[in-house]
Amino acid sequence: MVLQEYQVLGRHLPTEAEPNPKIYRMRIFAKNEVVAKSRFWYFLRQLKKVKKANGEIVGVNVISEKRPIRPKNFGIWLRYDSRSGTHNMYKEFRELTRADAVRSMYQDMAARHRARFRSIHILRVVEVEKTADVRRPYIKQLLVPGLRFPLPHRVSKVKSTFVANRPKTF
């Protein structure tokens, strides 16, 4: 599932009572523009008394990452419906882009909590700038300076089929 971040702008249709209605802006993660608009109306209907029949979309923009090749830490606040109730949660991910972090969050929620896409509401996605602000130990362990990963069981290519001694793979 490839997600993109969209900025959707919408408002209530102008009426005689209110000729200039307030414009609402949302940042929505969706796989395409149609799903982004649909999610916009879903959330706007819950938050304000505006639905698709008496509203209009002013604009839809794709938000792209400023530096998509640098790994960053992201904190995601979310709310999801489980089989027993509604829960608030904060999770951290280390990814290249905000959209990748949200995709990882959906995968993680599906794996750990069996939460579906429709039952997860993303409240906020923030890039955690300072290493001191990182809360979760599974992200903190990746922020150690000079971090190196061991490469066990390295098998070197031998030119001949039969060799006098065993290969050393440690």
Side-chain angles (χ1 to χ4, degrees):
M1 179 168 76
V2 178
L3 290 176
Q4 283 188 310
E5 188 174 9
Y6 291 93
Q7 174 181 282
V8 185
L9 298 145
R11 65 177 188 167
H12 197 285
L13 284 172
T15 58
E16 289 180 11
E18 193 172 1
N20 293 323
K22 190 184 283 188
I23 295 177
Y24 299 103
R25 179 177 67 93
M26 285 187 201
R27 295 176 82 157
I28 293 180
F29 294 92
K31 60 182 178 179
N32 58 36
E33 194 175 308
V34 175
V35 177
K37 287 180 187 177
S38 174
R39 297 296 285 172
F40 173 78
W41 290 121
Y42 171 76
F43 289 121
L44 197 63
R45 198 169 55 242
Q46 287 183 342
L47 297 169
K48 305 289 178 186
K49 290 179 80 174
V50 181
K51 57 183 188 176
K52 189 179 177 186
N54 56 22
E56 65 180 351
I57 297 280
V58 176
V60 179
N61 305 323
V62 177
I63 300 173
S64 58
E65 192 75 25
K66 194 182 282 184
R67 291 187 203 88
I69 56 171
R70 196 188 80 187
K72 297 171 276 297
N73 304 315
F74 293 99
I76 301 176
W77 282 265
L78 63 113
R79 174 184 207 133
Y80 79 101
D81 295 321
S82 70
R83 293 173 185 152
S84 59
T86 305
H87 311 282
N88 294 319
M89 194 177 282
Y90 171 77
K91 287 186 154 298
E92 287 180 349
F93 296 94
R94 186 167 173 83
E95 289 288 344
L96 297 174
T97 64
R98 289 166 56 96
D100 288 346
V102 170
R103 181 188 45 75
S104 295
M105 184 271 304
Y106 277 119
Q107 294 289 325
D108 189 61
M109 291 299 292
R112 293 179 195 270
H113 304 283
R114 305 292 186 264
R116 310 294 187 260
F117 178 84
R118 65 180 178 269
S119 65
I120 299 171
H121 298 168
I122 299 168
L123 303 176
R124 212 165 111 201
V125 179
V126 175
E127 182 183 341
V128 182
E129 303 273 335
K130 299 177 190 167
T131 55
D133 294 340
V134 174
R135 299 183 199 175
R136 303 293 185 247
Y138 53 86
I139 301 296
K140 279 185 182 175
Q141 70 183 355
L142 300 172
L143 304 176
V144 178
L147 179 67
R148 297 177 71 207
F149 295 99
L151 299 169
H153 195 70
R154 306 292 283 173
V155 180
S156 60
K157 286 191 174 183
V158 181
K159 292 189 174 151
S160 67
T161 309
F162 302 103
V163 185
N165 47 8
R166 285 174 166 264
K168 292 184 174 69
T169 62
F170 55 86

